[in-house]
Amino acid sequence: MKGFVFHGPGQASWQDVPDPAIKEPTDAMVKVGVVTICGTDLHILKGDVPEVRPGTVLGHEAVGEIVEVGSDVRTVRPGDRVLMSCITSCGRCRFCRDGSYGQCRGGGGWILGHLIDGTQAEYVRVPYADLSVHPLPGALCSEDAVLLADIFPTSYEVGVLNGHVRPGDTVAIVGVGPIGLAAIATARLFSPERIIAVDLAPARLEAAHRLGADAVADVHETPEQLVADLTDGLGADVVIEAVGVPESFELCTRMVRPGGHVANIGVHGRPATLHLEDLWIRNVTITTGLVDTSSTPTLLRMAASGRLPTGQLITHTFPLAQMEEAYEVFSRAGETGALKVALGGERHDVAVQTT
């Protein structure tokens, strides 16, 4: 089969790779229908995630059809259309029993496209299939469903829930790529007073406004002052970091009010300074997290009923074989206007913007 293989920082290619096979009785084999690219994949290509070894097929978000299952799989069977979660759960370890699937110690956690071959291929082996794939309702198209593999549960759990967004809050989101945009959509479920989006790309700020941000700010135009002006100098109740660079994290800590929450979602490849000389007295809560995807069944029901704007985030579609071109477009989002790209499926009518 073909797969998108990581060869080291800055090097990857769409190439022939061995067909996967059932290794454990809890495995499922899935034919990939629609797959997408995550900002974390770009971090891997930059060398920010050194655990990923050369030769690994990347990708951890996909929808597909079950083609084979191991003897112990009970909840899905060949022919079922499923969402492959970015997180794998053994279901037995201490963390899985608590619902903290991202911290699984039984061979799960974030393994697809990280510790084992991932979803950016024609076929993928999914361990612990009973808990790690989700049958899809017929009303939900694959292009919409694929965004529930990672970015929507990540934004909802690590950003909105960890940040304790409440009705009437002021929520500032720094970085409105796909994760930040999904954070806007899911924060709105809690009726905040206002959502402020901060980014450096005009196209993403425009998308943030379309998805429900009440105010937008260019990162170079003192967003701290905008937050202060809108909150009578208090600061934001919740600030969500959705970039993964030191400057954005430090900006978040300057915008949060005393007693507020900073929820870090971004994947950081460099150290960030924690200014405790300023923060120690302000009762600020800072949270980090890897998504558990415990919210995925709920989000699937909401998406199927039209309550989540998943499809609005897909700006470019490609055949699966154009993986390298899709990476090029996605990695140059500031120039191409790409938010989320989808590969495979039947819908390839969106013109690719490359300049």
Side-chain angles (χ1 to χ4, degrees), residues 83-95:
L83 172 71
M84 287 168 268
S85 176
C86 66
I87 297 296
T88 302
S89 168
C90 79
R92 297 189 300 268
C93 72
R94 161 68 183 276
F95 290 109

Side-chain angles (χ1 to χ4, degrees), residues 28-50:
M29 192 74 62
V30 184
K31 181 180 181 181
V32 173
V34 176
V35 67
T36 186
I37 302 170
C38 182
T40 303
D41 296 320
L42 301 184
H43 280 282
I44 293 171
L45 285 176
K46 291 178 183 176
D48 290 346
V49 189

Side-chain angles (χ1 to χ4, degrees), residues 172-247:
I173 299 173
V174 178
V176 286
I179 286 285
L181 293 172
I184 291 172
T186 52
R188 283 173 55 84
L189 300 173
F190 291 84
S191 301
E193 179 182 3
R194 64 176 66 87
I195 297 175
I196 304 166
V198 180
D199 204 285
L200 50 75
R204 291 189 169 187
L205 291 175
E206 182 181 341
H209 190 69
R210 290 197 307 270
L211 282 169
D214 301 285
V216 299
D218 187 297
V219 72
H220 299 302
E221 296 178 357
T222 60
E224 304 104 303
Q225 188 60 52
L226 174 63
V227 171
D229 290 344
L230 291 174
T231 59
D232 295 325
L234 289 179
D237 300 284
V238 181
V239 186
I240 296 174
E241 198 284 338
V243 182
V245 298
E247 295 80 6

Side-chain angles (χ1 to χ4, degrees), residues 5 55 59-60 85 122 165 192 243-244 251 271 324 327 354:
V5 179
H60 52 268
S85 176
E122 294 175 314
V165 175
V243 182
L251 172 62
E324 293 180 5
Y327 260 89
T354 58

Side-chain angles (χ1 to χ4, degrees), residues 69-307:
V69 296
S71 59
D72 286 351
V73 176
R74 297 289 182 266
T75 61
V76 291
R77 59 185 180 181
D80 287 349
R81 191 172 66 108
V82 297
L83 172 71
M84 287 168 268
S85 176
C86 66
I87 297 296
T88 302
S89 168
C90 79
R92 297 189 300 268
C93 72
R94 161 68 183 276
F95 290 109
C96 286
R97 290 169 69 88
D98 288 341
S100 300
Y101 309 132
Q103 304 302 320
C104 176
R105 291 296 182 268
W110 174 35
I111 58 174
L112 290 173
H114 180 208
L115 304 180
I116 67 173
D117 287 338
T119 60
Q120 291 169 4
E122 294 175 314
Y123 292 87
V124 58
R125 178 182 72 92
V126 180
Y128 299 116
D130 278 335
L131 292 171
S132 305
V133 301
H134 301 271
L136 289 177
L140 191 59
C141 76
S142 296
E143 287 82 356
D144 290 347
V146 73
L147 299 190
L148 300 175
D150 183 355
I151 67 165
F152 269 87
T154 294
S155 298
Y156 181 59
E157 296 175 19
V158 185
V160 175
L161 296 185
N162 279 3
H164 291 272
V165 175
R166 297 176 299 181
D169 277 353
T170 291
V171 180
I173 299 173
V174 178
V176 286
I179 286 285
L181 293 172
I184 291 172
T186 52
R188 283 173 55 84
L189 300 173
F190 291 84
S191 301
E193 179 182 3
R194 64 176 66 87
I195 297 175
I196 304 166
V198 180
D199 204 285
L200 50 75
R204 291 189 169 187
L205 291 175
E206 182 181 341
H209 190 69
R210 290 197 307 270
L211 282 169
D214 301 285
V216 299
D218 187 297
V219 72
H220 299 302
E221 296 178 357
T222 60
E224 304 104 303
Q225 188 60 52
L226 174 63
V227 171
D229 290 344
L230 291 174
T231 59
D232 295 325
L234 289 179
D237 300 284
V238 181
V239 186
I240 296 174
E241 198 284 338
V243 182
V245 298
E247 295 80 6
S248 62
F249 174 79
E250 293 169 31
L251 172 62
C252 290
T253 63
R254 296 196 299 270
M255 293 196 298
V256 68
R257 70 163 172 83
H261 289 76
V262 175
N264 183 89
I265 303 178
V267 177
H268 289 265
R270 293 182 287 139
T273 300
L274 180 63
H275 288 283
L276 285 176
E277 73 277 11
D278 298 322
L279 295 172
W280 73 271
I281 201 171
R282 295 175 57 201
N283 293 18
V284 172
T285 299
I286 299 174
T287 57
T288 65
L290 174 65
V291 65
D292 294 313
T293 65
S294 56
S295 67
T296 300
T298 298
L299 295 174
L300 275 169
R301 292 194 299 272
M302 294 179 67
S305 63
R307 301 288 184 177

